[in-house]
Amino acid sequence: MIKMTVETENFFTQERMTSDIYFNLTKDELRRIAETDPDLWKAINVMSTVDTENMSQEDGLKVYSIIRKLVLLAYGVRDGNRFRKTQADRDEFEVSAEFDAVLDQLTDGEGAKLVTFLMQIMPSDLRDQVQQEHPEAFRGLPK
């Protein structure tokens, strides 16, 4: 699970606001992605090698679309000790300033932020396995 803190501006009052946004994917959700959306699954698996700073505009738009989809799939609301993920929550988040701020942070040209996000939304045992199998993709990234 990852908690991202984002700063946004209230549309009505122009006041600055800070919000904590939570993301997580379970093993079951990852399996369902692999079964139902093989293109997204393939993209997740190669995302750690993407050079976001030196790509064409067309490729950049494809990567943005993948990131957008992953953010929405992983988004949830902390509800006490539970992590609630409903379509209504996702729909509300998708039209929020917080959603824009999260996408801005993940697509600012620093590939390390994107790889860190991908790794932290995974279950920890799966993340550890991926890091053991592909240590070269994680050099210099936070644990």
PDB file of all heavy atoms in Angstrom, residues 22-35:
ATOM      1  N   TYR A  22      -4.770   6.973  -0.883  1.00  0.00           N
ATOM      2  CA  TYR A  22      -4.266   5.616  -0.679  1.00  0.00           C
ATOM      3  C   TYR A  22      -4.468   4.747  -1.919  1.00  0.00           C
ATOM      4  O   TYR A  22      -5.502   4.844  -2.605  1.00  0.00           O
ATOM      5  CB  TYR A  22      -4.986   4.961   0.505  1.00  0.00           C
ATOM      6  CG  TYR A  22      -4.702   5.654   1.803  1.00  0.00           C
ATOM      7  CD1 TYR A  22      -5.494   6.714   2.241  1.00  0.00           C
ATOM      8  CD2 TYR A  22      -3.625   5.266   2.591  1.00  0.00           C
ATOM      9  CE1 TYR A  22      -5.220   7.361   3.433  1.00  0.00           C
ATOM     10  CE2 TYR A  22      -3.353   5.907   3.784  1.00  0.00           C
ATOM     11  CZ  TYR A  22      -4.153   6.956   4.200  1.00  0.00           C
ATOM     12  OH  TYR A  22      -3.882   7.594   5.382  1.00  0.00           O
ATOM     13  N   PHE A  23      -3.461   3.887  -2.159  1.00  0.00           N
ATOM     14  CA  PHE A  23      -3.486   2.985  -3.310  1.00  0.00           C
ATOM     15  C   PHE A  23      -2.976   1.612  -2.893  1.00  0.00           C
ATOM     16  O   PHE A  23      -2.037   1.498  -2.109  1.00  0.00           O
ATOM     17  CB  PHE A  23      -2.582   3.516  -4.434  1.00  0.00           C
ATOM     18  CG  PHE A  23      -2.952   4.895  -4.885  1.00  0.00           C
ATOM     19  CD1 PHE A  23      -2.336   6.003  -4.332  1.00  0.00           C
ATOM     20  CD2 PHE A  23      -3.919   5.085  -5.859  1.00  0.00           C
ATOM     21  CE1 PHE A  23      -2.679   7.281  -4.739  1.00  0.00           C
ATOM     22  CE2 PHE A  23      -4.266   6.361  -6.271  1.00  0.00           C
ATOM     23  CZ  PHE A  23      -3.641   7.458  -5.708  1.00  0.00           C
ATOM     24  N   ASN A  24      -3.587   0.578  -3.481  1.00  0.00           N
ATOM     25  CA  ASN A  24      -3.154  -0.790  -3.205  1.00  0.00           C
ATOM     26  C   ASN A  24      -3.749  -1.718  -4.256  1.00  0.00           C
ATOM     27  O   ASN A  24      -4.856  -1.487  -4.733  1.00  0.00           O
ATOM     28  CB  ASN A  24      -3.635  -1.234  -1.826  1.00  0.00           C
ATOM     29  CG  ASN A  24      -3.064  -2.576  -1.443  1.00  0.00           C
ATOM     30  OD1 ASN A  24      -1.860  -2.738  -1.349  1.00  0.00           O
ATOM     31  ND2 ASN A  24      -3.932  -3.549  -1.232  1.00  0.00           N
ATOM     32  N   LEU A  25      -2.993  -2.740  -4.620  1.00  0.00           N
ATOM     33  CA  LEU A  25      -3.522  -3.826  -5.439  1.00  0.00           C
ATOM     34  C   LEU A  25      -3.258  -5.132  -4.708  1.00  0.00           C
ATOM     35  O   LEU A  25      -2.144  -5.363  -4.248  1.00  0.00           O
ATOM     36  CB  LEU A  25      -2.853  -3.864  -6.817  1.00  0.00           C
ATOM     37  CG  LEU A  25      -3.248  -2.766  -7.792  1.00  0.00           C
ATOM     38  CD1 LEU A  25      -2.395  -2.851  -9.055  1.00  0.00           C
ATOM     39  CD2 LEU A  25      -4.723  -2.831  -8.143  1.00  0.00           C
ATOM     40  N   THR A  26      -4.276  -5.959  -4.598  1.00  0.00           N
ATOM     41  CA  THR A  26      -4.120  -7.272  -3.971  1.00  0.00           C
ATOM     42  C   THR A  26      -3.632  -8.273  -5.018  1.00  0.00           C
ATOM     43  O   THR A  26      -3.674  -8.004  -6.221  1.00  0.00           O
ATOM     44  CB  THR A  26      -5.455  -7.765  -3.390  1.00  0.00           C
ATOM     45  OG1 THR A  26      -6.378  -7.960  -4.481  1.00  0.00           O
ATOM     46  CG2 THR A  26      -6.031  -6.784  -2.382  1.00  0.00           C
ATOM     47  N   LYS A  27      -3.189  -9.429  -4.554  1.00  0.00           N
ATOM     48  CA  LYS A  27      -2.782 -10.484  -5.488  1.00  0.00           C
ATOM     49  C   LYS A  27      -3.954 -10.874  -6.391  1.00  0.00           C
ATOM     50  O   LYS A  27      -3.771 -11.096  -7.588  1.00  0.00           O
ATOM     51  CB  LYS A  27      -2.276 -11.700  -4.727  1.00  0.00           C
ATOM     52  CG  LYS A  27      -0.931 -11.481  -4.085  1.00  0.00           C
ATOM     53  CD  LYS A  27      -0.510 -12.728  -3.341  1.00  0.00           C
ATOM     54  CE  LYS A  27       0.766 -12.480  -2.567  1.00  0.00           C
ATOM     55  NZ  LYS A  27       1.168 -13.652  -1.786  1.00  0.00           N
ATOM     56  N   ASP A  28      -5.147 -10.943  -5.822  1.00  0.00           N
ATOM     57  CA  ASP A  28      -6.322 -11.287  -6.617  1.00  0.00           C
ATOM     58  C   ASP A  28      -6.561 -10.245  -7.705  1.00  0.00           C
ATOM     59  O   ASP A  28      -6.857 -10.595  -8.849  1.00  0.00           O
ATOM     60  CB  ASP A  28      -7.560 -11.419  -5.719  1.00  0.00           C
ATOM     61  CG  ASP A  28      -8.801 -11.747  -6.527  1.00  0.00           C
ATOM     62  OD1 ASP A  28      -8.832 -12.826  -7.156  1.00  0.00           O
ATOM     63  OD2 ASP A  28      -9.729 -10.909  -6.564  1.00  0.00           O
ATOM     64  N   GLU A  29      -6.446  -8.981  -7.359  1.00  0.00           N
ATOM     65  CA  GLU A  29      -6.640  -7.926  -8.362  1.00  0.00           C
ATOM     66  C   GLU A  29      -5.590  -8.025  -9.469  1.00  0.00           C
ATOM     67  O   GLU A  29      -5.902  -7.861 -10.659  1.00  0.00           O
ATOM     68  CB  GLU A  29      -6.582  -6.545  -7.706  1.00  0.00           C
ATOM     69  CG  GLU A  29      -7.794  -6.242  -6.861  1.00  0.00           C
ATOM     70  CD  GLU A  29      -7.646  -4.994  -6.018  1.00  0.00           C
ATOM     71  OE1 GLU A  29      -6.558  -4.781  -5.426  1.00  0.00           O
ATOM     72  OE2 GLU A  29      -8.613  -4.225  -5.968  1.00  0.00           O
ATOM     73  N   LEU A  30      -4.353  -8.322  -9.104  1.00  0.00           N
ATOM     74  CA  LEU A  30      -3.303  -8.483 -10.109  1.00  0.00           C
ATOM     75  C   LEU A  30      -3.580  -9.688 -11.009  1.00  0.00           C
ATOM     76  O   LEU A  30      -3.397  -9.622 -12.227  1.00  0.00           O
ATOM     77  CB  LEU A  30      -1.937  -8.620  -9.432  1.00  0.00           C
ATOM     78  CG  LEU A  30      -1.408  -7.332  -8.797  1.00  0.00           C
ATOM     79  CD1 LEU A  30      -0.219  -7.628  -7.888  1.00  0.00           C
ATOM     80  CD2 LEU A  30      -1.034  -6.312  -9.857  1.00  0.00           C
ATOM     81  N   ARG A  31      -4.066 -10.786 -10.419  1.00  0.00           N
ATOM     82  CA  ARG A  31      -4.433 -11.958 -11.220  1.00  0.00           C
ATOM     83  C   ARG A  31      -5.559 -11.628 -12.197  1.00  0.00           C
ATOM     84  O   ARG A  31      -5.541 -12.052 -13.354  1.00  0.00           O
ATOM     85  CB  ARG A  31      -4.861 -13.116 -10.320  1.00  0.00           C
ATOM     86  CG  ARG A  31      -3.720 -13.815  -9.647  1.00  0.00           C
ATOM     87  CD  ARG A  31      -4.198 -15.043  -8.856  1.00  0.00           C
ATOM     88  NE  ARG A  31      -3.178 -15.429  -7.912  1.00  0.00           N
ATOM     89  CZ  ARG A  31      -3.227 -15.201  -6.605  1.00  0.00           C
ATOM     90  NH1 ARG A  31      -4.279 -14.625  -6.059  1.00  0.00           N
ATOM     91  NH2 ARG A  31      -2.235 -15.580  -5.827  1.00  0.00           N
ATOM     92  N   ARG A  32      -6.554 -10.881 -11.713  1.00  0.00           N
ATOM     93  CA  ARG A  32      -7.670 -10.509 -12.586  1.00  0.00           C
ATOM     94  C   ARG A  32      -7.210  -9.599 -13.717  1.00  0.00           C
ATOM     95  O   ARG A  32      -7.697  -9.714 -14.838  1.00  0.00           O
ATOM     96  CB  ARG A  32      -8.801  -9.869 -11.784  1.00  0.00           C
ATOM     97  CG  ARG A  32      -9.613 -10.928 -11.034  1.00  0.00           C
ATOM     98  CD  ARG A  32     -10.839 -10.361 -10.388  1.00  0.00           C
ATOM     99  NE  ARG A  32     -10.413  -9.620  -9.199  1.00  0.00           N
ATOM    100  CZ  ARG A  32     -10.995  -8.531  -8.729  1.00  0.00           C
ATOM    101  NH1 ARG A  32     -12.035  -8.024  -9.332  1.00  0.00           N
ATOM    102  NH2 ARG A  32     -10.546  -7.936  -7.650  1.00  0.00           N
ATOM    103  N   ILE A  33      -6.270  -8.701 -13.435  1.00  0.00           N
ATOM    104  CA  ILE A  33      -5.714  -7.858 -14.497  1.00  0.00           C
ATOM    105  C   ILE A  33      -5.033  -8.745 -15.541  1.00  0.00           C
ATOM    106  O   ILE A  33      -5.223  -8.568 -16.755  1.00  0.00           O
ATOM    107  CB  ILE A  33      -4.722  -6.810 -13.931  1.00  0.00           C
ATOM    108  CG1 ILE A  33      -5.472  -5.760 -13.112  1.00  0.00           C
ATOM    109  CG2 ILE A  33      -3.931  -6.146 -15.059  1.00  0.00           C
ATOM    110  CD1 ILE A  33      -4.559  -4.838 -12.311  1.00  0.00           C
ATOM    111  N   ALA A  34      -4.242  -9.712 -15.077  1.00  0.00           N
ATOM    112  CA  ALA A  34      -3.535 -10.612 -15.995  1.00  0.00           C
ATOM    113  C   ALA A  34      -4.519 -11.403 -16.871  1.00  0.00           C
ATOM    114  O   ALA A  34      -4.268 -11.614 -18.059  1.00  0.00           O
ATOM    115  CB  ALA A  34      -2.644 -11.571 -15.209  1.00  0.00           C
ATOM    116  N   GLU A  35      -5.648 -11.805 -16.290  1.00  0.00           N
ATOM    117  CA  GLU A  35      -6.633 -12.597 -17.021  1.00  0.00           C
ATOM    118  C   GLU A  35      -7.492 -11.758 -17.957  1.00  0.00           C
ATOM    119  O   GLU A  35      -7.785 -12.185 -19.070  1.00  0.00           O
ATOM    120  CB  GLU A  35      -7.562 -13.321 -16.046  1.00  0.00           C
ATOM    121  CG  GLU A  35      -6.903 -14.416 -15.251  1.00  0.00           C
ATOM    122  CD  GLU A  35      -7.810 -14.959 -14.150  1.00  0.00           C
ATOM    123  OE1 GLU A  35      -9.000 -14.577 -14.081  1.00  0.00           O
ATOM    124  OE2 GLU A  35      -7.318 -15.763 -13.344  1.00  0.00           O
TER     125      GLU A  35
END
